[in-house]
Amino acid sequence: MRDLVISVAISAFIIIFIYQPVKVEGTSMMPSLDDQERIFVNKFVYRLEPIERGDIVVFRYPRDPSKSYIKRVVGTEGDRIRIEGGQVYVNDEPLDERYVPPAYTDARSLPEIVVPPHCYFVLGDHRSMSSDSREFGPVNESYIYGKAVFGYWPMDKLGRVR
């Protein structure tokens, strides 16, 4: 009985404070993450290291904080971001986005913006099907609560999230 109580306590601690299971809802992160895919989000990592370009983050939707979104960080504070015909430029350099296959791009453009302090510019990998910073602007770091780290369902997607 003691071992069971200890196991439950450790499991609860890990789930509450470190890793949270999350179900991806929607197609905005395809092909990296599929609709209904199950992943673990590390809620502690950003206390130890900064949020970086390329991270897939989970955050409270700025227009309705009761909802959560998952997107990829493409710009950090101070970055100049512009999109021309679907090509993302960060500080006047084209962003190499191997994770966005040609079938998932779109031709939208966005005039240059500078990412404000303590904010991040996020985009979905399925650009033509994503509601992201092009629509609601940069996300304040206080809204970001985790980094997608590990997929566990379906089994063919088992492994580190990239």
Side-chain angles (χ1 to χ4, degrees):
M1 186 63 163
R2 176 189 61 148
D3 290 344
L4 179 62
V5 170
I6 290 171
S7 297
V8 169
I10 290 172
S11 298
F13 176 81
I14 289 171
I15 291 170
I16 292 169
F17 296 108
I18 300 176
Y19 287 99
Q20 175 180 341
V22 171
K23 179 172 69 170
V24 176
E25 294 183 7
T27 58
S28 73
M29 285 301 293
M30 287 178 65
S32 301
L33 299 171
D34 294 326
D35 185 32
Q36 304 303 308
E37 185 172 339
R38 306 304 202 277
I39 62 172
F40 281 113
V41 173
N42 186 327
K43 300 190 314 184
F44 189 72
V45 68
Y46 292 134
R47 296 174 195 253
L48 303 174
E49 63 185 48
I51 298 169
E52 296 179 346
R53 186 175 301 115
D55 286 357
I56 297 177
V57 297
V58 179
F59 58 95
R60 290 186 305 281
Y61 178 49
R63 293 184 176 164
D64 182 358
S66 69
K67 296 179 182 178
S68 291
Y69 272 31
I70 184 166
K71 305 290 177 198
R72 188 179 302 271
V73 174
V74 298
T76 61
E77 67 178 76
D79 283 344
R80 294 183 336 273
I81 307 289
R82 80 176 190 279
I83 303 173
E84 292 179 4
Q87 174 63 58
V88 178
Y89 292 86
V90 178
N91 301 322
D92 295 323
E93 295 290 325
L95 188 60
D96 180 18
E97 298 183 291
R98 294 182 188 133
Y99 45 82
V100 180
Y104 292 83
T105 62
D106 71 0
R108 284 189 273 181
S109 295
L110 180 77
E112 184 172 278
I113 68 158
V114 176
V115 181
H118 308 290
C119 291
Y120 297 88
F121 194 87
V122 297
L123 294 174
D125 290 355
H126 194 320
R127 298 292 159 74
S128 61
M129 300 290 290
S130 181
S131 170
D132 47 40
S133 287
R134 296 173 294 180
E135 179 185 319
F136 52 75
V139 176
N140 190 289
E141 70 184 352
S142 65
Y143 279 59
I144 297 173
Y145 63 86
K147 177 180 180 178
V149 292
F150 192 83
Y152 65 93
W153 189 261
M155 290 302 287
D156 64 326
K157 298 282 280 203
L158 182 70
R160 194 171 142 232
V161 173
R162 299 179 194 274

